[in-house]
Amino acid sequence: MDRNLVLLNRNIARLRRNVRRQSHEIEELIAADLDCTSAAQRLMRAQADLVLFIEKREHLVVADI
């Protein structure tokens, strides 16, 4: 397997964990009736990064075919 693909898969897994963690943090803040603005911003950044990494992986896989 291509090294770039391995690195992309590792980053995608890391970002997915980060998205789940941020989502959980937001749920806790909402439950406590606290401001979740910064956590929501981090979540949106992580989601955007995740989309970019998945798109890169798709392009890399298509290029290998």
Side-chain angles (χ1 to χ4, degrees):
M1 187 180 285
D2 187 17
R3 176 170 163 70
N4 290 330
L5 187 57
V6 170
L7 293 174
L8 281 171
N9 285 333
R10 186 177 301 151
N11 283 327
I12 288 168
R14 178 185 53 80
L15 284 166
R16 284 183 173 151
R17 284 190 303 270
N18 190 14
V19 165
R20 284 192 300 269
R21 190 178 318 116
Q22 291 299 326
S23 296
H24 181 71
E25 181 181 343
I26 289 171
E27 289 172 7
E28 288 178 342
L29 290 169
I30 290 171
D33 199 26
L34 297 172
D35 180 31
C36 62
T37 304
S38 61
Q41 290 172 339
R42 289 191 303 272
L43 174 61
M44 289 188 307
R45 269 187 251 119
Q47 288 173 328
D49 289 345
L50 181 58
V51 168
L52 290 175
F53 277 102
I54 290 172
E55 287 173 352
K56 285 181 184 180
R57 180 178 66 182
E58 288 175 358
H59 290 303
L60 193 60
V61 169
V62 169
D64 285 344
I65 295 179

